[in-house]
Amino acid sequence: TYRSYALNIYLRGRYSAESIYKAIKLLNAGKFEEARILLVLPSFDREALSVRIGEPLNNNEAKRLLAAYIWSDSEKTTDVASLSLDFAKATLEHIMPQKPATGTNWLTEFDEEFRQKYTYRLGNMTLLTHTKNSSLRNYGFEKKKVTYAKSVLPLTRDIGAQGALTKNYFVERHQMIVGMLRTLFIDESV
């Protein structure tokens, strides 16, 4: 509930200061369930937030949502080792570049309409260190996938395991990430 409320503020700029102050008072009084109920998003806000997660995002919004995706995915790990994300070192990487270089597969395999629709959506984004990100520039996938394959983040490493990227890949990846985020932020807020 709290995460959904905070995300709604961050992505949509919608909040009630009165609700926040009341919730803080209730939390300080140990009335956790009452505070939670006060911050449950109404259905129209949940629906609008659900739509917003699937829309084009700016780099800061996308980086935070991908981090949330990675953290929630790592919470499910039941292995002896767990994954840790250093958010301060992470930068947002556009798999299909914002400005593809001439002669790359991005221009030959993906039409302008598709690139415009998916360049700023979560299915086209991942996280890398600044050094790795800047070294990839606007190269074609064949060059980029070598770096992706070396990442310890499954979200990034899985891209490097692909033989080639297709429109379907970006659409399905986007739906997977958005679906997980909706489960994390929207479904849990009820």
Side-chain angles (χ1 to χ4, degrees):
T1 301
Y2 303 117
R3 292 189 295 193
S4 299
Y5 195 84
L7 184 64
N8 196 48
I9 293 170
Y10 180 68
L11 290 181
R12 299 184 58 235
R14 300 193 40 135
Y15 73 98
S16 161
E18 183 180 341
S19 296
I20 292 172
Y21 291 127
K22 284 181 180 179
I24 290 170
K25 286 181 181 180
L26 290 168
L27 288 170
N28 286 336
K31 298 177 179 177
F32 303 112
E33 184 58 20
E34 288 178 47
R36 187 192 74 76
I37 290 169
L38 192 61
L39 298 180
V40 169
L41 294 176
S43 62
F44 63 87
D45 278 336
R46 284 196 313 275
E47 289 170 22
L49 184 58
S50 179
V51 168
R52 181 68 183 100
I53 290 170
E55 293 177 337
L57 301 164
N58 70 41
N59 289 0
N60 289 329
E61 293 167 341
K63 180 181 173 185
R64 282 178 171 72
L65 286 172
L66 288 174
Y69 176 89
I70 291 166
W71 285 321
S72 71
D73 202 34
S74 67
E75 289 173 359
K76 297 177 197 169
T77 302
T78 57
D79 203 343
V80 294
S82 64
L83 184 62
S84 174
L85 173 67
D86 187 342
F87 186 79
K89 290 182 182 178
T91 62
L92 187 73
E93 158 69 356
H94 292 82
I95 303 160
M96 180 172 34
Q98 298 169 77
K99 295 179 183 174
T102 305
T104 61
N105 68 298
W106 309 119
L107 295 175
T108 58
E109 297 171 18
F110 303 93
D111 57 70
E112 178 70 22
E113 181 182 349
F114 183 84
R115 289 194 315 270
Q116 283 189 1
K117 184 173 182 179
Y118 278 91
T119 298
Y120 298 98
R121 293 179 189 252
L122 291 171
N124 183 48
M125 300 175 181
T126 195
L127 299 178
L128 288 172
T129 63
H130 178 72
T131 305
K132 287 180 181 176
N133 194 345
S134 62
S135 74
L136 295 180
R137 302 183 188 187
N138 296 332
Y139 292 140
F141 180 62
E142 286 302 314
K143 285 188 178 184
K144 286 184 158 199
K145 79 179 196 175
V146 174
T147 300
Y148 296 153
K150 293 177 185 175
S151 177
V152 296
L153 287 177
L155 182 70
T156 304
R157 186 179 57 238
D158 291 349
I159 303 164
Q162 301 298 311
L165 299 183
T166 63
K167 290 179 180 180
N168 232 16
Y169 175 80
F170 285 109
V171 171
E172 289 173 5
R173 187 173 188 273
H174 180 72
Q175 290 171 346
M176 176 194 68
I177 294 168
V178 169
M180 168 73 99
L181 291 170
R182 285 177 176 153
T183 298
L184 180 65
F185 289 106
I186 311 303
D187 297 347
E188 68 90 33
S189 70
V190 180

